[in-house]
Amino acid sequence: IEHQKLSGVRTADGPSIVWHNADATQIPALRSHVQRATLLARSYIVRQQVESLIQFGTSMLAFCQIDRAMQPKDHVALANIFEQLHTPLRQKLQQLLHKFDMELSEEFDQN
């Protein structure tokens, strides 16, 4: 309540009794901590999802190369096609993940 009074949210409750500025209540620090913890949790989830997607692509590539039900020439053709798709996609996902990490680090450095 004191923070709300100091930040102007509660104007009808009178002046703050305990603190003289909003930062002293530690509410802004708590808010920053919660935001940072949430961003870290989200970044961990994003990283896991991207890495799982990359691993799935790698597994599919291995499958294309060793599937016994296909003719050898079909193996080669399928593996080449998949490799042409998988490699640039994997690289792009890794670039985006790196960019995400950099932007997250910058956000933390600013706060």
Side-chain angles (χ1 to χ4, degrees):
I1 293 177
E2 295 290 298
H3 180 267
Q4 291 175 344
K5 289 178 182 180
L6 291 166
S7 60
V9 174
R10 288 184 168 235
T11 55
D13 290 342
S16 173
I17 298 170
V18 180
W19 289 284
H20 298 294
N21 67 52
D23 289 338
T25 65
Q26 296 297 308
I27 298 296
L30 176 62
R31 183 181 298 130
S32 177
H33 172 73
V34 169
Q35 288 172 343
R36 182 182 213 117
T38 301
L39 284 174
L40 284 173
R42 288 181 182 170
S43 71
Y44 178 75
I45 291 168
V46 166
R47 184 173 285 94
Q48 280 184 316
Q49 290 173 337
V50 169
E51 289 172 359
S52 293
L53 186 58
I54 290 170
Q55 183 58 42
F56 174 74
T58 303
S59 297
M60 289 302 298
L61 181 59
F63 174 77
C64 292
Q65 293 170 341
I66 63 171
D67 183 22
R68 302 281 187 243
M70 297 172 63
Q71 297 293 322
K73 64 181 174 93
D74 294 334
H75 276 284
V76 173
L78 183 58
N80 288 339
I81 290 169
F82 196 83
E83 180 67 31
Q84 290 173 2
L85 298 171
H86 178 254
T87 299
L89 179 60
R90 182 186 70 230
Q91 291 170 347
K92 184 64 175 177
L93 286 171
Q94 289 170 333
Q95 288 172 355
L96 291 171
L97 189 58
H98 178 71
K99 181 180 176 187
F100 175 76
D101 287 339
M102 296 302 293
E103 289 175 359
L104 190 62
S105 294
E106 288 174 12
E107 181 68 28
F108 286 155
D109 291 343
Q110 290 175 2
N111 293 325

